[in-house]
């Protein structure tokens, strides 16, 4: 008499070859039964000997398909159906799907082997894939994940593909995007409006164009790239000019790991990230300068090929290091639709290598770094999105709209927090459009009833995301303070709801409880109790408001207004221009001048004093310039940043910077003493607060903590204090992580507070 049991598996288990894996495993263990994709994961029914069922479950847990992530397995006894064999059943449409959609996967070794085998049906086929690899999120139109619900629905399979698709022993069994050159889409090369080559010829011709110094728009998984030879300075210069991108670094795609290690210094941690399934862009120190690729930057962003097309391009003789930058102009979002790409990029690209398979949604390359406290995600998109990043104790759905810069949104369904791909800067129309689309996309995909929805947005009344939030249907709409959301994201990632921490939130700008611009904040509290502001950077004037972020001298004028005995800053070595004088006038007459505690602006101000007096052409440029300057010095003497009455007083620090500058001290050494001073001052405040509140854990988040040197300094200064340091690992420390933090604070009912905290004087006591 056979036993039977039901096994429910949750996590990333659909679209990753899980059902064929289960089928083979059942056969190997002589079990009958069935498997299907349910609305909440994979449902399995097993019949056979007890011992065999146990072996099945153990093997499934310990050796699941490489692209899957099992979060939960439930095994229960079930009535025996006296089945004779094991079968795969049709997917079932559940009431509300909470399955985890798999992120896109890089082409696997088996598919690559076939792709380069002249005797294989898919020889040199740029869309080769199987259940272990290939597109997922970027081709899924709706759930459940079946071919009719993907962008492959217009290509019916031929007999060859169909036979593989139906054979449970085959690697392509139920691989939804399966195709071959006979039945599937392919790539075509267009030049000057005409189709000039198709298939392998198009790939070969593209490789030639790249070798000749051309710029080609190439369709990838989640959008178009603009590619050119990274070792060709005039191609790089032409790309910058046509793309209106003066200084922001370009990412490189290296042919393989050997080529990558000749370009950059790969630590073992960085290599793990580079070859990980997400195949992100990894920021690493460059071995030498590639002219025009990353000006004024010691680091380089490098990635490896992840689509069959990219491997084919290198095999066809393309330069072994390619600039591969998002196809857009300036900081607009990446192009992903063919007609739009042809229109928007006509002045930028010499040719277009267009793949026929449509992209369901825009998904940029992700950007990561192996940091002082472990891996840091700077842009979370392809390869990561839309996996769940946290579990929250809330039943009703929550939609968190994030911040306006580096926007992402988070949707919480049955307590699972799904964070969207990177959407970008909402001040651009295209990005805003993408923002509204992504909201609709996630709400539809997870079939959310908006009558029950808790909607949260930033407390900044003028944010585009805030204003859009007011137009969306919801049961309740609330605001969450920006810097608390940063810290909440760190705790939410770890599932630490009750843990009390001292939280440092250092950022560019964010709307504070008192209506001023915050950004140098230290809080005490937990997700459950909420966060109270306990200390902050001394407030400075911010002439011109958020616009000051673009001009470091403008930010400097606000801090310098509080410094006595200033030298004439329009003279050498400072050479501040008219913008400084104008900003000073605004402050004197209190016109368009705000109050700020922004740590980001403090870094800008010091960069200005050390020579960065021009306009910043991308977000964070002056701070990155300053960090790299500081790295050239090994001096560890900090400038003073004392803490008094909850105020981190920047005045002694500015006195020291100005004096050393007048004395002719090297700007690298000054930059280093400044960074060390910020670290030392912050650590002093942290230690005091941990002591007075009996807290042993510190969380660090906010855009300023993308500064690796600051993290390294804080780590070394905190070493002797036996404090635990937590940073973000699953979502970015910059505003890309805000939506998760908003969702977490909303879960515990901590909405925007308008009064400043009574704890503010705690340090004084
Ligand atoms: Zn494969
Ligand atoms: Zn076929």
């Amino acid at each position: 008499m056979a036993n039977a049991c039901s096994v429910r598996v949750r996590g990333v288990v659909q679209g990753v070859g899980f059902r064929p894996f289960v089928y083979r495993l059942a056969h190997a263990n002589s079990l009958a039964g069935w498997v299907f994709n349910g609305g909440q994961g994979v449902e399995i029914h097993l019949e056979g000997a007890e011992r065999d069922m146990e072996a099945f479950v153990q093997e499934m847990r310990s050796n699941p398909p490489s692209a899957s992530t099992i979060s939960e397995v439930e095994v229960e006894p079930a009535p025996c159906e006296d089945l004779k064999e094991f079968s795969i059943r049709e997917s079932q449409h559940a009431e509300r799907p909470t399955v985890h959609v798999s992120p896109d996967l890089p082409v696997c070794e088996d598919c690559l082997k076939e792709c380069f085998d002249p005797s294989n049906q898919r020889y040199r086929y740029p869309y080769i894939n199987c259940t272990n690899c290939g597109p997922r999120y970027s081709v899924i139109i709706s759930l459940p994940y079946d071919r009719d619900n993907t962008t492959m629905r217009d290509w019916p399979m031929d007999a060859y593909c169909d036979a593989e698709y139906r054979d449970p022993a085959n690697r392509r069994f139920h691989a939804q995007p399966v195709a071959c050159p006979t039945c599937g889409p392919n790539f075509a090369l267009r030049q000057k409006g005409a189709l000039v080559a198709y298939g392998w010829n198009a790939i070969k011709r593209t490789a030639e164009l790249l070798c000749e110094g051309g710029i080609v728009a190439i369709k990838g998984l989640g959008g178009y790239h603009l590619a050119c030879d990274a070792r060709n300075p005039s191609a790089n210069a032409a790309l910058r000019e046509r793309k209106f991108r003066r200084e922001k670094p370009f990412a490189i795609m290296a042919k393989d790991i050997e080529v990558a290690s000749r370009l950059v210094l790969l630590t073992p941690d960085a290599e793990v990230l580079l070859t990980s399934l997400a195949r992100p862009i990894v920021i690493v120190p460059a071995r030498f300068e590639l002219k025009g690729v990353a000006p004024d930057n010691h680091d380089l962003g490098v990635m490896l090929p992840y689509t069959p097309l990219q491997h084919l391009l290198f095999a066809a003789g393309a330069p072994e290091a390619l600039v591969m930058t998002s196809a857009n102009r300036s900081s607009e979002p990446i192009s992903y639709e063919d007609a739009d790409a042809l229109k928007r990029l006509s002045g930028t690209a010499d040719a277009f290598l267009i793949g026929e398979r449509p992209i369901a949604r825009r998904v940029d390359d992700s950007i990561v770094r192996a940091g002082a406290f472990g891996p840091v995600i700077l842009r979370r998109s392809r390869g990561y999105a839309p996996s769940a990043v946290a579990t929250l104790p809330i039943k009703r759905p929550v939609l968190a709209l994030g911040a306006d810069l580096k926007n992402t949104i988070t949707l919480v369904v049955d307590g699972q927090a799904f964070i969207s791909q990177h959407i970008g800067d909402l001040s651009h129309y295209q990005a805003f459009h993408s923002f509204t689309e992504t909201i609709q996309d996630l709400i539809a995909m997870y079939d959310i009833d908006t009558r029950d929805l808790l909607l949260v947005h930033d407390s900044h009344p003028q944010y585009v995301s805030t204003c859009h939030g007011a137009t969306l249907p919801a049961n309740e709409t609330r605001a969450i303070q920006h810097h608390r959301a940063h810290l909440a994201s760190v705790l939410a990632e770890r599932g630490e709801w009750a843990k009390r921490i001292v939280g440092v939130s250092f950022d560019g700008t964010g709307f504070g409880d008192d209506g001023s611009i915050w950004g140098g904040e230290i809080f005490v509290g937990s997700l459950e109790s909420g966060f109270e502001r306990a200390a902050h950077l001394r407030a400075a004037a911010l002439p011109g408001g958020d616009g000051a972020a673009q001009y470091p001298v403008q930010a400097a004028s606000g801090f310098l207004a509080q410094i006595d005995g200033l030298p004439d800053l329009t003279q050498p070595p400072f050479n501040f221009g008219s913008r400084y004088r104008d900003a000073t006038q605004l402050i004197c007459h209190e016109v368009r001048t705000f109050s700020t505690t922004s740590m980001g602006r403090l870094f800008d101000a010091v960069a200005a004093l050390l020579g960065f007096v021009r306009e910043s052409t991308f977000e964070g440029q002056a701070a990155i310039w300053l960090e790299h300057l500081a790295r050239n010095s090994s001096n560890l003497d900090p400038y003073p940043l004392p803490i008094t009455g909850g105020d981190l007083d920047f005045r002694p620090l500015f006195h020291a910077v100005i004096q050393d500058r007048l004395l002719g001290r090297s700007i690298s050494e000054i930059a280093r003493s400044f960074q060390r001073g910020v670290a030392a001052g912050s650590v002093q405040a942290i230690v005091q607060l941990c002591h007075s509140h009996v807290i042993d854990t510190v969380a660090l988040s906010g855009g300023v903590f993308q500064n690796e040197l600051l993290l390294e300094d804080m780590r070394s200064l905190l070493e002797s204090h036996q404090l635990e340091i937590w940073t973000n690992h699953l979502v970015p420390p910059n505003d890309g992580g805000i939506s998760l933090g908003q969702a977490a604070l909303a879960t515990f009912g901590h909405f925007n507070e308008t009064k400043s905290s009574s704890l503010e004087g705690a340090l004084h006591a």
Side-chain angles (χ1 to χ4, degrees), residues 389-427:
V389 286
T391 306
L392 292 166
I394 189 162
K395 273 285 154 212
R396 71 194 282 207
V398 182
L399 178 65
L401 299 181
D404 271 16
L405 279 174
K406 297 188 162 66
N407 179 272
T408 62
I409 61 172
T410 290
L411 180 66
V412 186
V413 188
D414 289 341
Q416 299 281 313
F418 300 95
I419 184 162
S420 75
Q421 69 276 31
H422 164 87
I423 295 169
D425 177 355
L426 300 187
S427 68

Side-chain angles (χ1 to χ4, degrees), residues 141-155:
I141 295 166
S142 61
L143 290 177
Y145 178 57
D146 282 326
R147 190 177 180 97
D148 283 347
N149 292 334
T150 72
T151 60
M152 283 298 292
R153 61 185 172 192
D154 293 337
W155 284 274

Side-chain angles (χ1 to χ4, degrees), residues 158 161 180 183:
D158 62 358
C161 288
C180 74
C183 66

Side-chain angles (χ1 to χ4, degrees), residues 32-36 43-46 81 83 86-89:
W34 42 257
V35 58
F36 68 81
E43 311 283 331
I44 306 166
H45 176 84
L46 298 176
E81 298 172 17
L83 299 168
F86 196 89
S87 62
I88 296 182
R89 295 191 174 174

Side-chain angles (χ1 to χ4, degrees), residues 106-112 128-134 171-172:
V107 58
C108 73
E109 288 300 320
D110 291 334
C111 283
L112 269 185
I128 188 169
N129 67 81
C130 72
T131 50
N132 300 319
C133 76
R171 211 172 79 244
R172 296 201 171 82

